[in-house]
Amino acid sequence: MGVSVMSAEEFVEYFRGTRLLKEYLRLQKHRISVYNITAVEDYIYCPVCRVLIPKPRRPWRTWDGVHCPRCKEGEVSEIRIEPYEVYNEIVNDLKASEKKIVIAMAHEIENDILWREYLQYIYGVGPVMGFFICKILRPSRFHHWGAMMKYCGLHVEHICPKCDFRSDRYIEYCPKCGSEIIHRAPQRRKGRGVEWNPLARMMCYRLGTSFLKTGKFYKAICHEFYRKVKARRPGITEKHAWRDAIRRTVKLFLGHVWQVGRILEGLPVELPYPVAMHLDSYIIPVMDRKEPKDITKMWYIREMMRKYNVSERDIERLLEWADRVVVKRKREKRKRNKEESTQ
């Protein structure tokens, strides 16, 4: 399977970390739901539909501002509903509880070698994601990069659409019925167990969205994957294209985490999949919060540079390219928002 068996002590740490992370996610979900009650105060009421609709903050293109946007007949009236003050107190209490858990997570990983030497220098990876990677995912558990991908639900399923035959490797046609095999991301089905961890897959998606919001190098990588997906598949929807780009970005980052984590712990590391299969050039792990000269001073980076024939200038080009992409996307976003505001 490519996954090592945990000892009793390791399982206890894994169980404690999983329980703490789930409690943090539960509090966060409850806090957001309570905050949503207090966020909307202005409504519009239609006497024909007899429903309250949150008043749009921006003018709708299909709404005249007088008649109901649903039935187009009744004249709406504005209503303001003041929420109870206790909601704000609950939100503040939940925020304080979340902050305590985040502080506890940061305290748990502050001495972890993977966090200390690598993860804390990546934009988009905070204490919560660092806790998930160091305490729950732990690269030392997986003998192969593909085993980590399958554990996180980021692998590819090879399924026959007619007889539901499943293959562990890439094949073009089903050996049972002869139908063409489809290759897709794993999906959950009612009444059937999964071979991957749903919590890990959810955290990987949150990691990808974190890169899009606050990342730098991996944000640029995500935009580059998005551009390639749109060029290769012009008919793909925006949502599907971004999901595909996020998935590829997270797989690249976890490949870097797996390599760095095993090197730091003195464990053997195999060739990355793109290099081994001659599919693409190797992208060395870089750190957003360090200059290229400081990155090359890290002993494990020097070892990887020698192994994969990467120079310091290559790292400089990667960071310069990421800066250009991020700045360009910010300008495009400001221009798009300005055009929407003037319409």
Side-chain angles (χ1 to χ4, degrees):
M1 293 296 292
V3 183
S4 62
V5 179
M6 291 185 290
S7 63
E9 293 79 6
E10 291 175 341
F11 182 78
V12 169
E13 289 297 320
Y14 170 82
F15 181 79
R16 291 176 69 242
T18 303
R19 186 163 58 180
L20 182 63
L21 180 61
K22 287 183 177 180
E23 183 65 21
Y24 169 79
L25 296 175
R26 185 185 68 82
L27 287 176
Q28 187 182 61
K29 182 179 180 180
H30 186 39
R31 189 256 303 169
I32 293 175
S33 64
V34 177
Y35 174 77
N36 289 337
I37 300 176
T38 62
V40 181
E41 297 180 350
D42 296 327
Y43 295 83
I44 54 177
Y45 175 73
C46 175
V48 178
C49 299
R50 295 182 180 181
V51 294
L52 284 174
I53 304 174
K55 182 181 178 181
R57 297 183 180 180
R58 296 181 179 180
W60 294 359
R61 297 179 181 178
T62 58
W63 182 45
D64 57 4
V66 178
H67 296 87
C68 177
R70 298 182 61 185
C71 66
K72 310 295 183 181
E73 297 179 0
E75 294 186 1
V76 298
S77 58
E78 296 185 7
I79 298 177
R80 186 176 182 84
I81 300 178
E82 296 287 346
Y84 290 108
E85 187 63 27
V86 67
Y87 290 144
N88 294 325
E89 297 178 2
I90 293 174
V91 170
N92 294 332
D93 292 341
L94 292 175
K95 282 184 179 179
S97 301
E98 285 183 50
K99 187 176 181 179
K100 290 180 180 178
I101 294 181
V102 172
I103 293 174
M105 289 180 175
H107 179 71
E108 286 292 326
I109 64 175
E110 62 182 358
N111 295 324
D112 191 279
I113 188 171
L114 183 58
W115 170 262
R116 190 176 65 250
E117 298 290 337
Y118 178 62
L119 291 178
Q120 65 173 335
Y121 303 112
I122 306 295
Y123 281 123
V125 179
V128 178
M129 287 298 168
F131 182 84
F132 162 70
I133 294 173
C134 296
K135 294 296 183 179
I136 299 177
L137 203 56
R138 288 197 299 114
S140 59
R141 292 178 53 198
F142 306 95
H143 303 306
H144 308 286
W145 174 79
M148 178 184 283
M149 296 303 104
K150 188 169 184 178
Y151 179 83
C152 296
L154 298 176
H155 61 292
V156 179
E157 287 185 338
H158 314 288
I159 303 176
C160 176
K162 291 187 177 180
C163 65
D164 202 27
F165 171 79
R166 295 169 181 264
S167 175
D168 295 333
R169 57 186 180 85
Y170 181 89
I171 55 176
E172 294 185 1
Y173 299 98
C174 177
K176 290 186 176 181
C177 64
S179 301
E180 187 176 359
I181 295 292
I182 59 175
H183 316 282
R184 68 183 187 189
Q187 300 177 359
R188 303 185 71 172
R189 297 183 62 181
K190 185 177 180 180
R192 174 174 293 179
V194 293
E195 298 178 346
W196 39 274
N197 190 333
L199 176 63
R201 183 173 181 177
M202 183 268 294
M203 291 300 296
C204 288
Y205 176 76
R206 290 167 68 105
L207 177 62
T209 55
S210 178
F211 284 145
L212 273 180
K213 295 177 182 178
T214 60
K216 186 178 178 182
F217 174 74
Y218 291 100
K219 181 178 183 178
I221 289 288
C222 190
H223 281 285
E224 181 66 15
F225 281 138
Y226 170 79
R227 185 187 64 82
K228 290 185 177 181
V229 169
K230 293 289 287 185
R232 188 174 66 251
R233 303 169 60 185
I236 192 173
T237 62
E238 288 290 319
K239 182 178 179 181
H240 194 181
W242 279 115
R243 290 287 183 91
D244 190 291
I246 288 174
R247 181 184 178 89
R248 293 175 186 272
T249 304
V250 173
K251 291 177 73 172
L252 174 65
F253 173 72
L254 291 184
H256 290 162
V257 170
W258 181 81
Q259 283 189 301
V260 173
R262 291 184 67 85
I263 290 175
L264 290 175
E265 297 188 21
L267 300 173
V269 180
E270 61 185 11
L271 280 173
Y273 180 78
V275 178
M277 300 300 294
H278 306 285
L279 297 178
D280 202 353
S281 59
Y282 176 67
I283 300 177
I284 194 169
V286 297
M287 288 158 275
D288 303 319
R289 292 187 172 93
K290 280 185 173 291
E291 297 295 330
K293 293 182 179 180
D294 298 328
I295 294 175
T296 55
K297 291 180 181 178
M298 311 292 285
W299 66 270
Y300 61 89
I301 294 294
R302 292 199 304 269
E303 181 177 336
M304 299 174 77
M305 290 171 64
R306 289 194 300 266
K307 189 173 184 179
Y308 302 117
N309 194 22
V310 178
S311 64
E312 182 178 342
R313 182 54 187 162
D314 294 333
I315 298 178
E316 292 179 358
R317 290 195 188 98
L318 280 176
L319 293 176
E320 291 172 359
W321 168 80
D323 290 334
R324 290 195 302 269
V325 171
V326 171
V327 171
K328 181 180 178 181
R329 298 303 176 185
K330 287 182 179 179
R331 290 176 181 173
E332 292 177 353
K333 184 177 181 180
R334 285 197 297 264
K335 182 179 179 180
R336 186 168 58 253
N337 293 338
K338 187 176 180 180
E339 292 176 353
E340 292 178 356
S341 61
T342 55
Q343 290 179 357

